[in-house]
Amino acid sequence: KRTWLDRLDHAASTWREIASAALAGDPTRSGATGEDGSDWTFADVSAHLNGWRARSVARLEAAVRGESPPPPPWPAGLSDETEEGVEAINRWFYDRNRGRPLPELLAEADDQFRRMRTSVEVIAAPAPALGTAAKTVAEKMEFVPGKK
C-alpha cells in the first residue's frame, strides 16, 4: 500500500511541476508534444492525459467496490489493443476536449490524483489478498508491491 501511495504522490507532484513550468511559459503555444508539425497545446496534452487517467480512476474505484473494471470511456468500436486503435482513441480525446480551459483541465487532473489516492488508501490488503478486480487493476497499473 505504501508503495502505491508513494508512486501516486510522485506522479501527482511531477505533474504539478510540469504544469507549473508550462504555465510559466506560454501554455497556449502549439507544439507541446515536441513533434514537428504538432498543433497540440499544453491544454491539449493535459486533456489527453486526463482522458487516459480517467480510465485508471474508474478501474480503481470499481476495484474498491469489488466490481469488475468498467468499459473504457471512449466509444464502442475503438480499441486500445492496436496502435491504430490507440491513435483513434487519442484523436477522440483531442476532438472531445479541444478548447477546454486549462484551469479546468488542471483541476480535473488534481481531482483524478486525489480519487486514485483515496481508492488506494481503501485498498489496505497486500496485493495477493485483493479481489480479482483489484489485482487486475493493480497489475495493469504496476502498483503491485515488490513488482519491478
Side-chain angles (χ1 to χ4, degrees):
K1 176 179 171 177
R2 183 75 255 152
T3 300
W4 293 20
L5 293 173
D6 289 345
R7 287 183 182 187
L8 279 172
D9 290 344
H10 179 72
S13 174
T14 299
W15 174 246
R16 285 187 201 101
E17 289 174 22
I18 291 168
S20 292
L23 291 170
D26 181 5
T28 63
R29 180 180 55 82
S30 294
T33 63
E35 296 175 13
D36 289 337
S38 170
D39 64 345
W40 282 32
T41 65
F42 180 72
D44 296 327
V45 172
S46 299
H48 166 84
L49 294 173
N50 287 0
W52 285 104
R53 197 180 302 114
R55 185 174 191 196
S56 297
V57 171
R59 291 173 130 192
L60 274 171
E61 290 176 341
V64 167
R65 293 187 303 271
E67 299 170 359
S68 295
W74 48 83
L78 296 182
S79 171
D80 63 348
E81 297 294 320
T82 66
E83 189 172 326
E84 295 80 18
V86 170
E87 287 301 319
I89 293 166
N90 289 340
R91 279 191 303 278
W92 181 78
F93 284 143
Y94 179 83
D95 292 341
R96 181 172 181 239
N97 291 292
R98 184 79 173 146
R100 282 181 63 197
L102 184 55
E104 178 183 306
L105 294 165
L106 296 177
E108 181 178 72
D110 284 342
D111 182 61
Q112 289 173 330
F113 282 116
R114 180 194 57 76
R115 289 168 58 198
M116 286 191 293
R117 192 175 208 295
T118 298
S119 294
V120 170
E121 286 173 340
V122 171
I123 301 172
L130 295 175
T132 303
K135 280 194 282 191
T136 300
V137 171
E139 289 165 359
K140 288 201 179 280
M141 295 183 69
E142 297 182 357
F143 287 154
V144 176
K147 183 177 179 181
K148 300 278 181 199

Coordinates of all heavy atoms in Angstrom, one line a residue, residues 52 55 72 74-90:
W52 N -6.9 9.4 -20.5 CA -6.3 8.1 -20.2 C -6.4 7.8 -18.7 O -6.7 6.7 -18.2 CB -4.9 7.9 -20.7 CG -4.9 7.7 -22.2 CD1 -4.5 8.6 -23.1 CD2 -5.2 6.5 -22.9 NE1 -4.7 8.1 -24.4 CE2 -5.1 6.8 -24.3 CE3 -5.7 5.3 -22.5 CZ2 -5.3 5.8 -25.3 CZ3 -5.9 4.3 -23.5 CH2 -5.7 4.6 -24.8
R55 N -9.6 6.5 -17.1 CA -9.9 5.0 -17.1 C -9.2 4.4 -15.9 O -9.8 3.5 -15.2 CB -9.3 4.4 -18.4 CG -9.6 2.9 -18.5 CD -9.1 2.4 -19.8 NE -9.7 1.0 -19.9 CZ -9.2 0.2 -20.8 NH1 -8.2 0.5 -21.6 NH2 -9.7 -1.0 -20.9
P72 N -14.3 1.1 -21.1 CA -13.5 2.3 -21.3 C -14.4 3.5 -21.6 O -15.5 3.3 -22.1 CB -12.5 2.0 -22.5 CG -13.2 0.8 -23.2 CD -14.0 0.1 -22.2
W74 N -14.1 5.7 -24.0 CA -14.3 6.0 -25.4 C -15.4 5.2 -26.0 O -15.8 4.2 -25.5 CB -12.9 5.9 -26.1 CG -12.2 4.6 -25.9 CD1 -12.5 3.4 -26.5 CD2 -11.2 4.3 -24.9 NE1 -11.7 2.4 -25.9 CE2 -10.8 3.0 -25.0 CE3 -10.5 5.1 -24.0 CZ2 -9.9 2.4 -24.2 CZ3 -9.5 4.6 -23.2 CH2 -9.2 3.2 -23.3
P75 N -15.8 5.6 -27.2 CA -16.9 5.0 -27.9 C -16.6 3.5 -28.2 O -15.4 3.1 -28.4 CB -17.1 5.7 -29.2 CG -16.4 7.1 -29.0 CD -15.3 6.8 -28.0
A76 N -17.6 2.7 -28.1 CA -17.5 1.3 -28.5 C -17.0 1.2 -30.0 O -17.3 2.1 -30.8 CB -18.9 0.6 -28.4
G77 N -16.2 0.2 -30.2 CA -15.6 0.1 -31.6 C -14.2 0.6 -31.6 O -13.5 0.3 -32.5
L78 N -13.8 1.5 -30.7 CA -12.4 1.9 -30.5 C -11.7 0.9 -29.6 O -12.3 0.6 -28.5 CB -12.3 3.3 -30.0 CG -12.9 4.4 -30.9 CD1 -12.7 5.8 -30.3 CD2 -12.3 4.4 -32.3
S79 N -10.5 0.5 -29.9 CA -9.8 -0.4 -29.1 C -8.4 0.0 -28.8 O -7.7 0.6 -29.7 CB -9.7 -1.8 -29.8 OG -8.9 -2.7 -29.2
D80 N -8.0 -0.2 -27.6 CA -6.6 0.1 -27.2 C -5.7 -1.0 -27.4 O -4.5 -1.0 -26.9 CB -6.6 0.7 -25.7 CG -7.0 -0.4 -24.7 OD1 -7.6 -1.4 -25.1 OD2 -6.8 -0.1 -23.5
E81 N -6.1 -2.0 -28.1 CA -5.3 -3.2 -28.3 C -4.3 -3.1 -29.5 O -3.4 -4.0 -29.7 CB -6.2 -4.4 -28.6 CG -7.1 -4.8 -27.4 CD -6.3 -5.2 -26.2 OE1 -5.3 -6.0 -26.3 OE2 -6.6 -4.8 -25.0
T82 N -4.5 -2.1 -30.4 CA -3.6 -1.9 -31.5 C -3.1 -0.5 -31.6 O -3.8 0.4 -31.0 CB -4.3 -2.2 -32.8 OG1 -5.4 -1.2 -33.0 CG2 -5.0 -3.6 -32.9
E83 N -2.0 -0.3 -32.3 CA -1.5 1.1 -32.4 C -2.5 2.0 -33.1 O -2.7 3.1 -32.7 CB -0.2 1.0 -33.2 CG 0.5 2.4 -33.2 CD 1.9 2.3 -33.8 OE1 2.6 1.2 -33.6 OE2 2.3 3.2 -34.4
E84 N -3.2 1.5 -34.1 CA -4.2 2.2 -34.8 C -5.3 2.6 -33.9 O -5.9 3.7 -34.0 CB -4.7 1.5 -36.1 CG -3.7 1.2 -37.1 CD -2.7 0.0 -36.8 OE1 -3.1 -0.8 -36.0 OE2 -1.7 0.0 -37.4
G85 N -5.7 1.6 -33.1 CA -6.8 1.9 -32.2 C -6.5 3.0 -31.2 O -7.3 3.8 -30.8
V86 N -5.2 2.9 -30.6 CA -4.8 3.9 -29.7 C -4.8 5.3 -30.3 O -5.2 6.3 -29.7 CB -3.4 3.5 -29.1 CG1 -2.8 4.7 -28.3 CG2 -3.5 2.3 -28.2
E87 N -4.3 5.3 -31.6 CA -4.3 6.6 -32.3 C -5.7 7.2 -32.5 O -6.0 8.4 -32.3 CB -3.6 6.5 -33.7 CG -2.1 6.3 -33.6 CD -1.4 7.5 -32.9 OE1 -1.8 8.7 -33.2 OE2 -0.5 7.3 -32.1
A88 N -6.7 6.3 -32.7 CA -8.1 6.7 -32.9 C -8.6 7.2 -31.5 O -9.3 8.2 -31.5 CB -8.9 5.5 -33.4
I89 N -8.3 6.5 -30.5 CA -8.7 7.0 -29.1 C -8.1 8.3 -28.8 O -8.7 9.2 -28.3 CB -8.3 5.9 -28.1 CG1 -9.1 4.7 -28.3 CG2 -8.5 6.5 -26.7 CD1 -8.6 3.5 -27.5
N90 N -6.8 8.5 -29.1 CA -6.1 9.8 -28.9 C -6.8 10.9 -29.7 O -7.0 12.0 -29.2 CB -4.6 9.7 -29.3 CG -3.8 8.8 -28.3 OD1 -4.3 8.6 -27.2 ND2 -2.7 8.4 -28.8

